[in-house]
Amino acid sequence: MFKLGVVHLGLRNLNFTTKTATNVKCYTVSSVKMDKEILEKAKKLAGYKAVDDNLKSGLRVGIGSGSTIKYVVDRIKELGLDVICVPTSFQSTQLIVNAGLTLSDLSRTPELDITIDGADEVDSQLNCIKGGGACQLQEKIVAAASKRLVIVADFTKDSQAFGQQWKRGIPIEVVPMAYVPVMNKLSSMSLKPVLRMAVNKAGPVVSDNANFIIDAQFESISNVAELATKIKMIPGVVETGLFVNMASRAYFGQQDGTVKERTI
């Protein structure tokens, strides 16, 4: 049974003010800045609340990747929690080291109590699309080694069904030599594959594992688990960004200074 709740956080230490978002078609520089500020505050709300609710000293914690995870690490450091941290990417490794937290890996800490990670989109069943930052392989490995996976995100990642918010498709990590055959196979499955290209360098995005990323765009997904299995079975596919039946709780920071929770 699903439980939805909206929790008002004590904002004494966060210094948040309530803001109401409006739908506008033309953005000024100031409105874009304000939208960014609202999103960052929403991410901070979610990250702080997840740590407060789920972490204590002595736990073995998977530290996810993405812009919201910064606030998770900030809160762990602020509370002085003595936890063992296993990263899911080079980015999260840097966050852990810079915060002075205890860094480990799955060879030394193969079983984790909990992983806190972000998501690009979360549906009504707590299935997730992840991999916008090209970290889905290591994120899934760490999540699978954990007793619980908790998602933190802002309100723009909260959907009833995939595709309502996230429009870039399913991130799929592939062995470089196989990317063309994989794209052809994805096309035969009524998906629209696009090789993700780097922004500040020539050529494709390369993951922490030296693989390429294909974003498979879709109209709708009728059976998430079935599609995830079909994609994973394509030779050359290393991992998909579909996280099915893995998360047990999600925190979504809202525009008004509250946090929406979803559990199963």
Side-chain angles (χ1 to χ4, degrees), residues 29 60 66 93 102 110 142 145 155-156 170 183 187 194 214 218 247 258:
V29 173
R60 300 157 299 177
T93 299
T102 301
V142 171
F155 55 91
T156 66
I170 304 163
M183 291 178 71
S187 296
V194 177
I214 294 171
F218 56 89
T258 62

Side-chain angles (χ1 to χ4, degrees), residues 233-250:
M233 291 301 294
I234 300 173
V237 169
V238 180
E239 191 52 80
T240 83
L242 291 173
F243 283 54
V244 183
N245 298 325
M246 297 188 74
S248 60
R249 182 182 295 267

Side-chain angles (χ1 to χ4, degrees), residues 63-64 87-98 103:
I63 301 295
T88 61
S89 66
F90 183 72
Q91 177 223 2
S92 50
T93 299
Q94 287 183 304
L95 288 173
I96 294 166
V97 171
N98 291 341
L103 176 68

